[in-house]
Amino acid sequence: MKPSNLKTKIFLDSGDPKETREALALLGFLDGQTTNPSLVAKNPEAVGKKFSAAEVLNFYEGVVKEVSSLIPQGSVSVEVYADKDTSCEEMLDQAKNFYAWIPNAHIKYPTVTEGLKAAEISVKDGMRVNMTLVFNQAQAAAVYAATRSSKKGDVFLSPFVGRLDDRGENGMDFIANTIKMYQPGDGHVEVLVASVRSIDHFVKSIELGADIITSPLKILKQWAELGMPVTSKQQTADSNQLRPIPYEELDLNRPWQEYNIQHELTDKGIEKFASDWNGLIDKSK
Ligand code: E4P
C-alpha cells in the first residue's frame, strides 16, 4: 500500500511488462512507467533477436500497450528515436504515432534544440511530454520556458541523477537545484528523477519533494523491503566522494532559445539510445 504521507509519484523504469506486473504485486500501486530504447532492447523477448524497422516498432507498440493496460490510471513514457541529425518534424511524426497507441502516453523527447522545438509544438497541440537526458539547470529552464502554455501533469522533466554521479558529480545536488529553481514558477513542469541507481537516490528524492521518481525494479524491491520509508533516516548516505554541483541563478522568464542547453552527457545519451535501438534492427530485413 502507498504510504499515506508519500506525495511523490512512483514510476517503474523498464521496457518489460512482466516487471510492471511484479512492481504492482510488490507495492500494491504504481503511478506510471518510463521506457527508453535501451530498456526496450533489454526486454528478454528482444534480447538476441533482430527485427526489421517495422517489426521493432510493432514490438515497442506491444510493450507499451501491455504496460498501459496494466496501469490505465498511470502515465507511460514512450521515447522517440533520435540521433544527432533527427529533426523536429521527424520527432513529431513519431510522437503522433505513439500518442495514438495508448490514452496515457507522455512522449519523451531529448533535451536538445530539435527536441525542445518538438515539445513546444506538442504541448500547444495538447500532447503530454517528458523531456529526457537533462543534466543541467539551463536545460531545465529551457524546458520550463518552451512548455509555458501547458498545465501541471502535462510536462515531465527527467534529470539523470546516476549518470552525473557516474562521472563524479553529485547528481542529487542537481535534483535539489532544479526543484529550487522551479519553486517560484507556476508548477507546470513536474520533476521526474531518472537514472536512479540506489535506495539512497530514491529516498532522498522523496525527501527533496520530487514530483515523481522512476526506478528500476531492483530498487523498488529494496524500498519495499525497508517498509517504504519516506525519509532517509534508515539509509546511510555516501555521496561524500562526489563533487558538489553549485546552484545557478537563472531567470525562468527568458525565451527558451536563449539558454545554453548543450551538454556532453545529453549528446552521449542520444548516441547510446540510438545505437541500442539500431542494434535491434537488421537492415537487410
Ligand atoms: C528514464 O526515463 C531514463 O531513461 C532512465 O532512468 C535512464 O537510466 P540509466 O542512466 O540508468 O540508463
Side-chain angles (χ1 to χ4, degrees), residues 199 203 221-229 234-235:
I199 185 70
V203 181
K221 282 184 180 161
Q222 288 174 29
W223 185 56
E225 273 160 24
L226 289 166
M228 302 189 197
Q234 296 167 56
Q235 280 78 46

Side-chain angles (χ1 to χ4, degrees), residues 201-216:
H201 284 158
F202 190 97
V203 181
K204 274 195 177 155
S205 299
I206 297 176
E207 276 190 317
L208 285 172
D211 298 291
I212 306 163
I213 305 170
T214 191
S215 164

Side-chain angles (χ1 to χ4, degrees), residues 20-184:
T20 319
R21 287 196 171 81
E22 262 194 77
L24 276 167
L26 179 75
L27 304 179
F29 73 94
L30 192 62
D31 298 309
Q33 182 157 335
T34 48
T35 67
N36 70 36
S38 307
L39 292 170
V40 175
K42 278 191 207 147
N43 180 305
E45 285 177 38
V47 173
K49 267 203 192 147
K50 287 284 182 189
F51 300 86
S52 69
E55 283 167 352
V56 79
L57 261 190
N58 284 341
F59 180 73
Y60 195 13
E61 181 177 354
V63 165
V64 164
K65 283 187 165 164
E66 193 174 342
V67 170
S68 172
S69 73
L70 294 167
I71 45 169
Q73 314 305 329
S75 151
V76 183
S77 286
V78 191
E79 184 156 340
V80 299
Y81 170 87
D83 56 33
K84 63 180 176 28
D85 301 318
T86 307
S87 67
C88 158
E89 290 71 26
E90 287 166 323
M91 292 188 204
L92 282 171
D93 282 348
Q94 296 180 65
K96 282 176 197 151
N97 183 28
F98 296 169
Y99 217 67
W101 288 351
I102 52 171
N104 52 348
H106 274 78
I107 301 297
K108 283 174 94 177
Y109 292 119
T111 307
V112 291
T113 301
E114 294 304 299
L116 282 161
K117 279 189 204 166
E120 186 176 34
I121 297 170
S122 297
V123 295
K124 283 194 178 126
D125 286 351
M127 275 162 87
R128 294 172 296 270
V129 301
N130 175 355
M131 299 308 291
T132 193
L133 291 163
V134 177
F135 294 98
N136 66 24
Q137 272 181 248
Q139 292 176 322
V143 167
Y144 182 95
T147 58
R148 218 173 255 126
S149 55
S150 57
K151 64 174 199 306
K152 190 177 163 73
D154 285 358
V155 183
F156 298 158
L157 176 98
S158 291
F160 275 38
V161 57
R163 293 192 197 184
L164 285 166
D165 281 14
D166 288 346
R167 66 171 202 176
E169 295 180 68
N170 190 346
M172 287 313 299
D173 284 350
F174 175 44
I175 304 299
N177 294 344
T178 303
I179 291 172
K180 179 177 170 185
M181 178 175 71
Y182 280 171
Q183 209 76 55

